Every structure is written in C-alpha cells, then in structure tokens.
Amino acid sequence: MWKYHNPVNVTAGINSLDKLPALLAGRSCILVTFPEAHELGMIERTQQLVGKQLHGVIDTIAPNPDVQWLAPLYEQVQREHADVPVIVALGGGSAIDSAKALLCATPSGKFEQLLEVLEQAGQLPATNQTNAHKALIAIPTTAGTGSEVTPWATIWDQAGGRKHSLHQACTWPEAAIIDAGLMRSLPAGATLASGLDALSHALESIWNVNRNPVSISLAVQAARQVMATLPALMDDLCNVQLRSDMAQAALLAGLAFSNTKTALAHSLSYDITLQHGVPHGIACSFSLPLVLEMALGSDAQVDAALLSIFNTIEPAIAKKCLCDFLQKLGVATDPTHYGIEPGAWKKMLDKAANGPRGRNFICRLASA
C-alpha cells in the first residue's frame, strides 16, 4: 500500500504574483521577507497588489532562521498581529521557514512553548478562534528549497550547536505562487546553492524508505531537469526561460520529497553547515555521489530510477556523471575540501546515518 498527499494550491508562471489578491480572498495579511526585497521592488509591488489588506511588513529575515532572533520576532507577531489570519512569505527557504514558525499559535503567545514542541518533536495544542494558527501563502524567490510545498521548516540553534525540524499540520502552506520572474535577480552563488538543493531533494526522495510511485516519477523528472538546466543557467543568469525551467524542477522536487522527507545527504549536511559554515545547498549536495554509490544495489526499482537519470545501466558511470556534473559547477566532492578530515568524516557519516533523516535512507550502513 502507498499514498501520495499534498494539499498546497500551486499557481505557477511569469507574473503569477498577480494572483495573490485572489488567493487572499479578502483576508488581511502580513508580509515576511528578506532585507533586499525592498530595493528589488518586491515589497512595493506586493503593497500595490494587496493594498489595505497588508497590515505589516517584516523585512529582517536572515539566512538560516535562528532561535535567538526568531523568539522576539515571534512574540512581536503574536502581540501586534494576533488578528491577522494570513502570512505571505516572499523569499527563499529562510523566509518561508521563518513564516512557518511565526504562523504557529501557542497558548501563551510565547516562543518558549514553540521551542519546547520543537525539542520534543511534539504537536501544538488545539487552537480556538481567539488563538488560531495563521494560514501561509508561500512565494519563493529561489528555485530549490521546496519549502513552499512542504510542511517542514528548519530552525537553527547556532549557540546550542543543533537544528530543529518544525512539522505541524498547520505548517503546510495553504498556497504557493511560483513566479520565475521574481528569481531573475538571484546572484550566481544563491542560484547554484538553491539549484543543488533541489537536485538533492530529488535524489534523496528516490533512495528513501518512504518513496512511492508518484514521488519517484516527480523526482526523476526533477533531477533530469536540474541537470539539464542548471549549468546553462549559471552561464546565463538573466535567461527567464531557464529560470522558469529551474523553478519547475525545484517545484517537482519539492512535491516529491513532501511525501518522503530527505535522507542521508541532508542528515550529513546539518553538522557540515553548523560546524564548517558551508551553505546548505552545497553541504547537502557534495556528498551525493558517495550516497548514490551506497544506494545503488539496494533495490531494483530504486536502481532503475536512479540510473535512468544518467541514461546508463552502469552504476560506476552514474556516479561519474554526477561527480562530473558537480565538479563542472565548481563543487568539490571530497569532504577534505570543506575541512573535514577522513576520521571526522567517518564519525559524521555514522552520526548522520542514525539521525531522523538518515534513517530514511534505503540501506543501513555497516557501522550504523
């Protein structure tokens, strides 16, 4: 038995941001976005679209949402915008993940209670009309994270040296707008990192114990499209068609892993980001050839899906194709390049294999 479920209402295409008023359906909202959104004209355009329905703008979202600055921001939102029913998140994964934390209602309106839920991987108590979770409309400005069509948010605790995964019934976005026109100004580094994050999502949802036929089909198409598009886009960042193709690939990957979660490569990435400062998209993708090699041979259906991406029946050729793809994009596949010595890498691999995401990997490591 298997099932596929995704409740997000997706609208896609150039200028699809214009559909925001219809999705709001007369409701008031606050906008959660990143500092550069103002100079890029995104805040002004949103204000023009929704008019008086916009009750506030939070434009201070930084990369890798951290509990230290999320806590006061959360309490500000709960205090000043308690009666606003919708959050519009405009930005990359950090803006959308932050919005998922901000939309959650706790009985006290304090972040401490949400943090307790995060630490215990529990569920928030039921809400009522005066203490209700907000709805989320997610509008990505990067092509990669998939957060606009998943219920998960990664919340970091840099001081504590750990990360939390927020997952509540209320953190599924109500709707997503995929407008590649909003991605034209994305610089090369962020374009690369987000594109490789999408590739990782696709591959991780294939070598996954939670896979299903729909997620595999979406993931194979996504991976092929990323590999066909990302190198060309890196050479022509202003090409709107290539931006659209990458946005579609990232969406497909998001729809795939929305039903499987990620696996070993992502489990590895969290400590790599925390301890070595490697951007998430690079941290979760440079190990993909190694994980691909480990995955192949575990399941015939998985092997067929993975090998089809690289148009081969030979596992060694598939690994070489993936290595070559990453290296041509300037991404080293050797952990030592990122300051991780062989002994430390072995310990990191063992820890990752036993983490919540690592246990989604289709084969258990011998030492795990």
Side-chain angles (χ1 to χ4, degrees):
M1 292 180 61
W2 62 272
K3 66 176 183 177
Y4 179 89
H5 171 73
N6 192 297
V8 184
N9 176 9
V10 177
T11 301
I14 298 295
N15 294 323
S16 55
L17 180 62
D18 293 344
K19 300 298 182 182
L20 178 58
L23 292 171
L24 283 170
R27 295 170 295 175
S28 60
C29 65
I30 58 173
L31 177 64
V32 173
T33 189
F34 57 107
E36 296 82 5
H38 181 75
E39 62 188 71
L40 293 171
M42 295 179 182
I43 295 177
E44 182 181 9
R45 185 177 171 194
T46 305
Q47 290 172 326
Q48 290 173 345
L49 282 169
V50 302
K52 294 181 180 179
Q53 290 171 255
L54 184 61
H55 284 212
V57 176
I58 296 169
D59 60 359
T60 56
I61 302 301
N64 300 330
D66 192 276
V67 295
Q68 288 194 336
W69 56 262
L70 262 180
L73 186 58
Y74 174 89
E75 291 172 17
Q76 176 192 343
V77 168
Q78 298 302 315
R79 182 177 63 251
E80 297 178 4
H81 302 290
D83 58 344
V84 176
V86 182
I87 294 179
V88 174
L90 175 69
S94 294
I96 298 172
D97 283 5
S98 296
K100 289 178 181 177
L102 298 176
L103 68 82
C104 293
T106 59
S108 66
K110 299 295 184 182
F111 187 78
E112 291 176 0
Q113 288 185 305
L114 182 60
L115 188 56
E116 289 175 5
V117 170
L118 287 171
E119 290 173 342
Q120 298 168 9
Q123 293 294 305
L124 289 164
T127 60
N128 53 48
Q129 288 184 336
T130 58
N131 181 41
H133 305 307
K134 301 181 188 303
L136 173 62
I137 298 176
I139 309 171
T141 59
T142 65
T145 72
S147 189
E148 69 277 6
V149 288
T150 73
W152 305 300
T154 299
I155 308 299
W156 299 87
D157 180 359
Q158 189 71 40
R162 56 182 176 170
K163 73 96 191 177
H164 303 288
S165 184
L166 174 63
H167 179 197
Q168 303 286 311
C170 63
T171 51
W172 279 104
E174 175 181 286
I177 296 174
I178 316 296
D179 186 342
L182 300 173
M183 305 172 189
R184 283 180 288 194
S185 60
L186 195 66
T191 298
L192 177 64
S194 58
L196 292 178
D197 196 15
L199 178 62
S200 182
H201 291 152
L203 295 176
E204 293 260 272
S205 66
I206 297 172
W207 55 55
N208 198 299
V209 297
N210 302 307
R211 67 193 181 278
N212 63 62
V214 174
S215 65
I216 288 176
S217 295
L218 290 166
V220 168
Q221 186 177 350
R224 286 174 174 164
Q225 195 156 324
V226 171
M227 295 187 71
T229 305
L230 187 56
L233 177 58
M234 293 306 297
D235 289 334
D236 190 3
L237 293 172
C238 295
N239 189 309
V240 179
Q241 183 58 56
L242 292 175
R243 289 286 185 191
S244 295
D245 292 345
M246 269 306 303
Q248 178 176 297
L251 173 63
L252 293 171
L255 291 170
F257 93 98
S258 73
N259 274 241
T260 66
K261 302 182 182 178
T262 51
L264 183 58
H266 267 73
S267 188
L268 277 165
S269 76
Y270 301 126
D271 278 350
I272 294 169
T273 294
L274 278 169
Q275 297 173 17
H276 299 273
V278 180
H280 173 71
I282 306 300
C284 68
S285 63
F286 82 81
S287 67
L288 290 175
L290 169 67
V291 182
L292 172 67
E293 183 177 43
M294 290 188 288
L296 287 168
S298 297
D299 180 273
Q301 180 191 41
V302 169
D303 286 358
L306 291 170
L307 293 174
S308 73
I309 294 168
F310 305 99
N311 297 313
T312 183
I313 59 172
E314 297 293 337
I317 293 176
K319 181 185 177 184
K320 184 178 186 304
C321 286
L322 186 52
C323 282
D324 290 347
F325 171 79
L326 292 169
Q327 289 169 0
K328 286 176 182 177
L329 289 169
V331 178
T333 56
D334 184 346
T336 59
H337 177 84
Y338 304 94
I340 309 169
E341 297 303 320
W345 176 252
K346 177 66 167 56
K347 291 178 181 178
M348 193 173 284
L349 191 60
D350 290 345
K351 178 184 175 183
N354 287 288
R357 294 295 185 260
R359 289 193 290 272
N360 293 332
F361 189 46
I362 58 171
C363 61
R364 302 297 290 158
L365 305 191
S367 57

